[in-house]
Amino acid sequence: MPKVLLSFLGTGEYKEIPYALDGQEYLTPYTQEALARHYPQHTLKVLLTDAAQKKHGEALRNRVAYEGVSIPDGRTEEELWQIFNAIVEAVPEGASLVVDISHGFRSQPVLALAVVHFLNVAKGVQVERILYGALREQEGRGEFLDLTAFLELLAWTQAARDLAQYGFGKPLGGLLQNLHRQSWLSGGAGLHRLGPLGKTLENLSLSLEVLRVQEASQHAIGLLKALEEVEKDLERAPRSRPLGLLLRFLEERYAPLAVGDPLSPGELPAQVAMVELLLNTGSLAQAAALMRELMVTWLCLQRGFDPVDEREGAEGLLNSWARRAKQKATDEKAQIGQLWNDLANLRNDIAHAGMRKDPTPAQTLAANLKDLWQRLRQVMAP
């Protein structure tokens, strides 16, 4: 794995001072030299404008070896994109990266944060650290501040968005478990509640994805319990505090699913909530499958059938009512039978992946599914 130390060089007046990092000090005018000595296995690449090259390029080279990467001043949007591309080209695929933004000019530090996030996704780059050399002028020294957690905040934000919009809980669950492990490895307080919360969130998301209705309810119960216990961990770990803003969201989203038995008469709304969640997060195939099973469960409970062992009896009734609908009957049973027939056809159309004659276009399927859901809600209304 290539190791790269990436830094910006400005045009300021740099004084020789001791820079502290991880308990060590390096006497130098340049943060680049301090970090190159701290990370001797990394290739130092310095982003510098013509003006920075003229003022400091040679002086820096006399103190430490580096590869220069020429960039424009960044005064226009086009120049900012040129800087972006220069950074992308300078960092090889799969590299382990340390970034120094001490002397970034204007928007360069913000741009650097964006580009390293892009590099992680597009080129598999692993960011070790993002550092800023803060000058303690009155004390005549410098100190590197570790800003890596703010890059992690982007990952938290993306994971939260994945969960909110698409129902993907695994990214957020993985971040929680990783934070749990890091706390123990670093000898910290041990954020022992975050790991179980992350695992439970992953299990809940998987249960919804593969439609394990009763499992999903049990995991939802476990999630709510974990959320109650996790607040103390958040107070002890600043890096995990962004999760605090998500706690209420997680509770509101999954509380309707947290029932003892989603197949029992009084707790059938849990399955309704599951369908709503699947529809809202774009999991239309799963929603169609669950709607079909929900209709069977509803009729089982209406007729006193066991919703697991006697489902065939309810399906037989629905099939007979569907035949009444085909015979142009207009009573309530025929209307329910028509809904059953429409829902079964849509579910089958999706399940066959379009491998049939004249498959329904995807946009039409999505619209029909929402219409069927409203009809099913009306049928199940007390």
Side-chain angles (χ1 to χ4, degrees):
M1 176 186 294
K3 295 178 178 292
V4 176
L5 168 58
L6 190 70
S7 179
F8 291 90
L9 182 62
T11 58
E13 299 295 337
Y14 304 136
K15 299 179 181 179
E16 188 170 68
I17 58 172
Y19 280 95
L21 177 61
D22 298 335
Q24 301 182 55
E25 287 191 347
Y26 305 95
L27 184 64
T28 175
Y30 298 110
T31 58
Q32 294 83 3
E33 180 186 5
L35 291 175
R37 290 164 60 187
H38 195 79
Y39 293 98
Q41 303 302 318
H42 289 59
T43 299
L44 174 60
K45 298 190 177 186
V46 179
L47 297 147
L48 68 177
T49 63
D50 290 343
Q53 169 65 43
K54 184 177 181 180
K55 186 165 186 177
H56 291 293
E58 191 63 29
L60 177 60
R61 195 174 299 280
N62 289 336
R63 303 184 68 107
V64 63
Y66 70 90
E67 295 180 17
V69 179
S70 181
I71 59 172
D73 292 332
R75 297 178 184 275
T76 66
E77 183 178 347
E78 181 180 354
E79 289 188 349
L80 290 174
W81 281 111
Q82 291 175 10
I83 297 172
F84 181 96
N85 291 329
I87 297 174
V88 170
E89 293 176 5
V91 180
E93 188 169 349
S96 179
L97 181 65
V98 175
V99 182
D100 171 28
I101 62 170
S102 305
H103 302 302
F105 183 55
R106 293 194 180 98
S107 59
Q108 289 173 352
V110 176
L111 182 60
L113 191 64
V115 73
V116 295
H117 186 62
F118 173 82
L119 285 168
N120 175 254
V121 175
K123 298 180 74 171
V125 171
Q126 300 299 314
V127 180
E128 293 180 59
R129 300 179 90 172
I130 298 178
L131 299 168
Y132 173 74
L135 178 62
R136 312 298 187 192
E137 197 164 1
Q138 292 183 345
E139 303 173 26
R141 66 181 183 89
E143 179 182 2
F144 282 103
L145 304 180
D146 194 332
L147 306 182
T148 314
F150 291 93
L151 179 64
E152 293 174 358
L153 181 58
L154 293 179
W156 284 92
T157 303
Q158 184 62 53
R161 181 180 179 181
D162 286 345
L163 178 63
Q165 294 190 356
Y166 310 114
F168 301 152
K170 188 172 182 178
L172 183 58
L175 286 172
L176 291 169
Q177 293 178 79
N178 186 53
L179 188 58
H180 169 93
R181 288 190 296 269
Q182 289 178 355
S183 70
W184 286 109
L185 292 174
S186 63
L191 307 180
H192 59 280
R193 297 176 179 88
L194 293 182
L197 175 61
K199 187 62 177 178
T200 301
L201 181 58
E202 284 189 0
N203 289 335
L204 173 55
S205 298
L206 180 60
S207 297
L208 289 171
E209 184 177 350
V210 297
L211 295 182
R212 306 295 92 172
V213 172
Q214 291 165 301
E215 282 185 31
S217 288
Q218 293 305 307
H219 289 313
I221 292 173
L223 183 73
L224 297 184
K225 290 181 179 178
L227 287 172
E228 292 177 1
E229 299 173 352
V230 81
E231 292 186 9
K232 293 181 180 179
D233 277 0
L234 300 184
E235 293 174 1
R236 295 201 305 269
R239 291 172 60 187
S240 67
R241 285 176 188 165
L243 177 64
L245 300 176
L246 297 175
L247 294 183
R248 182 168 295 178
F249 166 76
L250 291 174
E251 182 177 3
E252 291 176 353
R253 163 162 282 194
Y254 294 116
L257 279 57
V259 299
D261 181 7
L263 300 181
S264 63
E267 296 179 341
L268 194 63
Q271 288 193 56
V272 174
M274 288 183 196
V275 173
E276 292 279 4
L277 180 57
L278 292 168
L279 289 172
N280 290 337
T281 55
S283 300
L284 303 187
Q286 288 95 327
L290 184 55
M291 285 165 57
R292 191 263 186 197
E293 298 306 319
L294 175 58
M295 193 169 185
V296 176
T297 301
W298 166 78
L299 188 58
C300 283
L301 298 176
Q302 290 287 312
R303 293 301 177 106
F305 298 157
D306 185 283
V308 175
D309 295 332
E310 297 178 316
R311 296 183 74 80
E312 290 183 359
E315 289 178 352
L317 280 177
L318 290 168
N319 288 329
S320 67
W321 295 350
R323 289 191 291 272
R324 290 176 59 80
K326 290 181 179 180
Q327 296 168 0
K328 307 301 182 181
T330 58
D331 57 16
E332 182 181 3
K333 291 180 180 179
Q335 292 176 14
I336 295 175
Q338 184 62 55
L339 173 60
W340 170 251
N341 188 55
D342 293 343
L343 181 54
N345 286 336
L346 185 143
R347 193 281 308 267
N348 291 338
D349 198 349
I350 294 175
H352 285 292
M355 305 301 176
R356 51 165 45 183
K357 186 177 181 180
D358 299 323
T360 306
Q363 291 289 346
T364 304
L365 276 176
N368 291 346
L369 182 62
K370 293 179 181 179
D371 176 67
L372 287 173
W373 177 233
Q374 294 305 316
R375 289 166 60 189
L376 181 56
R377 290 291 301 269
Q378 291 176 1
V379 165
M380 295 189 302

